[in-house]
Amino acid sequence: MPEKVKITFLGTSGAVPTPERNHPAILISFGKENVLVDCGEGTQTQFRKAKISAAKLTKLLITHWHGDHVLGIPGLLQTLSFQDYNKILRIYGPRGIEKEMDNVLKAFPSVVVNEMRNKLRLDVKEASRKFIDEEDFFIEAFPVEHGIASNGYCFVIKDKMRIDKNKLKKLGIKPGKHLAEIKKGKTISYNGKRYSQKDLAFAEKGRKICIVMDGIYEPGIVRYAKESDALIMESAYTDEFAELAKEHKHRTAKQCAEIAKKSDAKRLFLTHLTNRYDKNPEVVLNEAKKTFKNSFLAQDLKSFEI
Ligand SMILES: [Zn+2]
Ligand SMILES: [Zn+2]
């Protein structure tokens, strides 16, 4: 079985939080990686409510520097300092992130220092294209039109070659280090016979999570969202308010569904609904479902695995 990736919605509100919905924050957990996308006000409390330790965080990705997506950063840093966070917290964002983070630390210098005077180590960088490329996964950033510098992010688990134990058994081959070359695509010889990758291994399909927060409807997003296992999108409005959505540089549920459909995504999660839908968020969901059946409403502290 492939290692699962878990997505936890820590906050799903629009610009103004409600008792049920906190400001935007999404956690992607895969192996030892815990990547937080956006850090709205109160995100550290949401971690506690979700019973996840914020100290496990490895990376923080910021989509754009609007208050509802970043006001939780100083508080989170202060808690990590007090928890003796001993890794380097890597923070990525769109153009200008270094300057914005400098401003945060100038305004709140104490948040990165604990009572033992130890300093939290941060590494802040602009993210573009494939800015993280590890053995098992990569993360890609792409521009989103929202009136200020904004990024969307794709977290992609790579396809992996796995040794097929059944095939080994049938062929009478013992498992072990001699199969390492097979994983690299090379042939091996065993008891005088040659075996290639396709004789002994199979490809385990990777997975893709694409997160596109605040922004206008851009057909170009399809290129990045293509064949996502989970596409998570800001869907502030319904079609009735399409003009208003455009004016405020946000999207409608119908537009999100169109992107999901054109992308051949497996599932669409709608988030960042305006307060207008506090009492009846289903109208947003129902609108999306008309175009893209496999649509869901993101909910605070709910998670799913793929
Ligand atoms: Zn927002
Ligand atoms: Zn925004």
Side-chain angles (χ1 to χ4, degrees):
M1 280 294 283
E3 187 167 8
K4 297 266 187 193
V5 54
K6 186 175 183 180
I7 293 98
T8 307
F9 293 105
L10 292 173
T12 63
S13 78
V16 179
T18 72
E20 292 78 31
R21 292 179 187 271
N22 203 70
H23 278 140
I26 302 164
L27 184 70
I28 302 172
S29 307
F30 177 65
K32 288 188 180 130
E33 282 294 331
N34 285 288
V35 179
L36 181 66
V37 180
D38 282 345
C39 186
E41 185 187 340
T43 296
Q44 57 161 325
T45 315
Q46 297 297 94
F47 265 103
R48 304 215 74 161
K49 287 183 184 167
K51 298 191 168 56
I52 301 168
S53 167
K56 286 189 176 158
L57 209 59
T58 50
K59 295 173 179 65
L60 168 58
L61 316 183
I62 297 299
T63 60
H64 64 295
W65 203 263
H66 275 165
D68 50 329
H69 299 256
V70 296
L71 282 170
I73 294 176
L76 179 69
L77 296 183
Q78 166 137 337
T79 292
L80 292 179
S81 296
F82 275 78
Q83 287 177 335
D84 292 326
Y85 184 82
N86 56 12
K87 299 179 283 261
I88 297 173
L89 179 62
R90 302 193 185 277
I91 303 178
Y92 301 91
R95 188 167 26 84
I97 185 76
E98 287 128 320
K99 193 181 113 248
E100 303 293 7
M101 279 304 301
D102 271 355
N103 290 338
V104 168
L105 297 177
K106 268 189 198 129
F108 307 109
S110 67
V111 299
V112 287
V113 185
N114 70 5
E115 69 268 64
M116 304 296 290
R117 313 304 300 165
N118 291 327
K119 202 161 180 214
L120 188 67
R121 290 172 299 160
L122 306 178
D123 181 43
V124 184
K125 283 199 177 94
E126 285 184 16
S128 64
R129 298 194 179 93
K130 200 189 270 189
F131 63 101
I132 288 169
D133 194 2
E134 307 265 336
E135 193 185 335
D136 294 344
F137 71 92
F138 67 85
I139 310 179
E140 185 180 19
F142 56 91
V144 172
E145 179 52 53
H146 183 47
I148 63 164
S150 302
N151 277 349
Y153 295 103
C154 288
F155 184 97
V156 181
I157 297 165
K158 297 176 184 176
D159 291 350
K160 197 171 185 178
M161 287 311 294
R162 288 210 181 265
I163 300 296
D164 189 329
K165 284 181 187 153
N166 290 329
K167 283 181 182 168
L168 292 189
K169 224 178 189 177
K170 268 187 199 161
L171 296 164
I173 300 173
K174 281 190 182 152
K177 279 185 188 155
H178 54 282
L179 299 172
E181 295 297 299
I182 284 287
K183 282 192 180 174
K184 292 179 196 160
K186 293 183 181 155
T187 55
I188 59 158
S189 56
Y190 190 88
N191 285 346
K193 279 187 187 160
R194 303 285 304 166
Y195 296 98
S196 69
Q197 194 175 55
K198 71 171 176 10
D199 296 328
L200 306 180
F202 66 97
E204 184 182 273
K205 187 92 183 73
R207 277 142 293 156
K208 179 173 177 179
I209 295 122
C210 185
I211 299 179
V212 194
M213 293 305 284
D214 308 16
I216 59 166
Y217 174 68
E218 292 175 89
I221 291 172
V222 170
R223 199 176 117 213
Y224 301 101
K226 199 86 200 143
E227 292 174 359
S228 300
D229 293 276
L231 172 59
I232 301 166
M233 294 192 91
E234 172 264 321
S235 170
Y237 296 91
T238 48
D239 193 41
E240 184 188 353
F241 300 101
E243 275 307 308
L244 198 61
K246 199 173 164 186
E247 196 182 311
H248 293 180
K249 293 196 163 36
H250 284 281
R251 266 173 236 109
T252 68
K254 189 180 169 192
Q255 291 168 343
C256 293
E258 275 170 16
I259 287 175
K261 192 177 172 184
K262 285 180 188 156
S263 310
D264 287 321
K266 287 214 179 88
R267 319 163 179 80
L268 169 67
F269 290 88
L270 305 163
T271 187
H272 207 286
L273 280 54
T274 66
N275 289 125
R276 177 178 281 113
Y277 307 106
D278 281 356
K279 290 202 170 68
N280 55 348
E282 325 73 61
V283 296
V284 178
L285 178 64
N286 292 340
E287 178 176 300
K289 278 188 164 179
K290 277 186 206 155
T291 305
F292 187 78
K293 216 171 119 233
N294 225 4
S295 298
F296 304 88
L297 274 182
Q299 282 179 2
D300 278 33
L301 309 178
K302 290 272 157 53
S303 61
F304 66 95
E305 284 187 334
I306 45 175

